[in-house]
Amino acid sequence: MALIIQKYGGSSVGTLDRLRHVAKKIKQTRDQGHDVVVVVSAMYGETDRLIQLAHALTAEPDPREYDVLVSTGEQVAVSLLAMALITSQCPARSYTGHQAGILTDKNHTKARILDVETDVIQYDLSKGEVVVVAGFQGRNERGDITTLGRGGSDTTAVALAIALKADECQIYTDVDGVYTTDPHLIQDACLLQKISFEEMLELASLGAKVLQMRSVELASKYNMPIRVLSTFRDGPGTLVTHEDKTMRNRLISGIAFSREEAIIALSGVPKQIGIEGRILGDISNAHIEIDMIAQNATSKDTADFTFTVSRKDYPKTLKLIDNIAKELGASTNSSAKVAKLSMVGIGMRSHAGVASKMFKCLGDAGISIQMITTSEIKISVIIDEVFIEKGVQILHQAFDLDKVSSVSMSNIE
Ligand code: ADP
Ligand code: ASP
Ligand code: MG
């Protein structure tokens, strides 16, 4: 008998029929003799609807009240799922994150889980009940409801798996596992049998929303493997786990993309010590996160300074930058219609030439690169948003990701 954590995402519980199907799967697992703790997201589209409601009322919703509002989607889903389980003769109890003992820091809308009090869950498990926990939420030290950021139910599941020392952490979703790129964009994308925590962390942070970044961070820190599976089709799914030799043989594991980007360039910035801090100071004081940054000298006395921010922060950032540009006598050039395209693979650590091949492929296709960043296992470029699909397609083919089981270092040539 094992303790299994199963997380079902919004599309898996989008309708009552789907909820019934999920209840059947949970009951099957319990009937096999396992203890089951289930984490559920809000029904498909519900969190978006709640966020729109808040923004229809006010441009800047109060963060505490925003969390009270958006956490309700999960409360609806857990109660309905528990009812469906009870109706099918499977004893179950639902809890909000607060009731289930998910303790977080005080950062409303993007809180981090600090601890999990497991007494309630363990008591119910000892009585043979399935415990259904609302994902994406917890409580801070004041007892206020907090939420964990979009996609946060994945993190709830991993945190529970760690706290309860579960035998398996299964994340059920609407695709068969982790693919070489988003299978909804590229039909030839291949299902990966295994992927390392490190690669999955990069892919998730660069736009592959199949797992929330923080869930992978947590899983990696506590060495808790995650299996990503389809709710609707049987199959082995993908194991996200620590690195092994077979993974190192793969040059590129995946391509991620994000359309949520905006680029801002300042030209003719006077060369002064500390000028970079001056430019970015007001932006970070406004709690806007900067992603990529590049600076290059354009003459003896001036430089160009370019950076990217999330598209939702673009209007606010532009206002701040326009003021700074005036003060410095610099000019601005910006666009909110850019996207980030990234290739990730631990094979890059030991093999050169990936970047040049990537840039050549994009160049040959007439796609101009506006910015580049690299790390040991990833290369990201900013391109015009209209080219994102074409760019992913070209790179996916050029690096043989449509035949991923046979991909090896020789594919660089
Ligand atoms: P859930 O509602 O189950 O949490 P999400 O929509 O958050 O599901 O995540 C699943 C989606 O992630 C898939 O439908 C797919 O479009 C997208 N996705 C992006 N990149 C990948 C990838 N590399 N592999 C699998 N799915 C991906
Ligand atoms: N319902 C939340 C969201 O849509 C959390 C989740 O789905 O994991 O972001
Ligand atoms: Mg998700």
Side-chain angles (χ1 to χ4, degrees), residues 7-12 41 44 151 154 171-175 177-185 200 203 207-211 255-257:
K7 177 258 169 177
Y8 292 91
S11 50
S12 305
S41 296
Y44 184 76
D154 299 331
I171 304 280
Y172 285 92
T173 185
D174 62 349
V175 289
V178 180
Y179 281 76
T180 46
T181 191
D182 188 341
H184 287 136
L185 186 81
M200 193 62 237
L203 287 172
K209 68 172 185 160
V210 62
L211 286 175
I255 301 178
F257 55 90

Side-chain angles (χ1 to χ4, degrees), residues 7 9-10 41-43 47-48 51 70 74 135-136 149-154:
K7 177 258 169 177
S41 296
M43 292 170 87
T47 309
D48 288 340
I51 292 172
V70 298
E74 271 70 13
F136 173 59
R150 298 305 305 265
S153 302
D154 299 331

Side-chain angles (χ1 to χ4, degrees), residues 247-399:
M247 296 174 193
R248 283 192 285 272
N249 286 337
R250 220 158 50 199
L251 178 60
I252 303 296
S253 287
I255 301 178
F257 55 90
S258 157
R259 298 178 200 274
E260 306 298 310
E261 311 291 323
I263 188 166
I264 298 179
L266 275 166
S267 318
V269 175
K271 270 196 197 162
Q272 290 164 12
I273 289 176
I275 195 79
E276 302 81 1
R278 165 77 195 89
I279 296 171
L280 297 183
D282 289 354
I283 296 166
S284 60
N285 287 342
H287 303 290
I288 295 168
E289 262 179 55
I290 291 152
D291 182 13
M292 297 179 169
I293 303 177
Q295 181 173 231
N296 55 297
T298 41
S299 75
K300 198 162 68 58
D301 306 314
T302 59
D304 284 356
F305 190 87
T306 312
F307 62 96
T308 63
V309 292
S310 160
R311 199 172 289 176
K312 71 174 174 13
D313 293 325
Y314 178 66
K316 213 168 159 185
T317 314
L318 206 53
K319 254 192 208 157
L320 292 167
I321 275 297
D322 278 343
N323 290 337
I324 297 166
K326 262 188 217 134
E327 273 176 39
L328 300 178
S331 59
T332 58
N333 184 8
S334 54
S335 167
K337 293 210 164 91
V338 293
K340 183 161 63 178
L341 198 164
S342 310
M343 297 214 310
V344 172
I346 48 181
M348 270 189 233
R349 269 192 216 133
S350 53
H351 213 94
V354 177
S356 61
K357 178 168 171 176
M358 176 184 186
F359 303 158
K360 181 168 186 319
C361 290
L362 294 174
D364 288 350
I367 301 175
S368 104
I369 298 171
Q370 302 182 28
M371 236 178 147
I372 301 167
T373 52
T374 60
S375 79
E376 208 188 12
I377 66 158
K378 75 124 204 262
I379 304 167
S380 295
V381 294
I382 293 286
I383 59 174
D384 195 314
E385 188 186 2
V386 295
F387 292 125
I388 200 75
E389 190 167 345
K390 188 174 172 189
V392 176
Q393 185 94 57
I394 283 165
L395 295 177
H396 198 266
Q397 245 175 32
F399 284 88

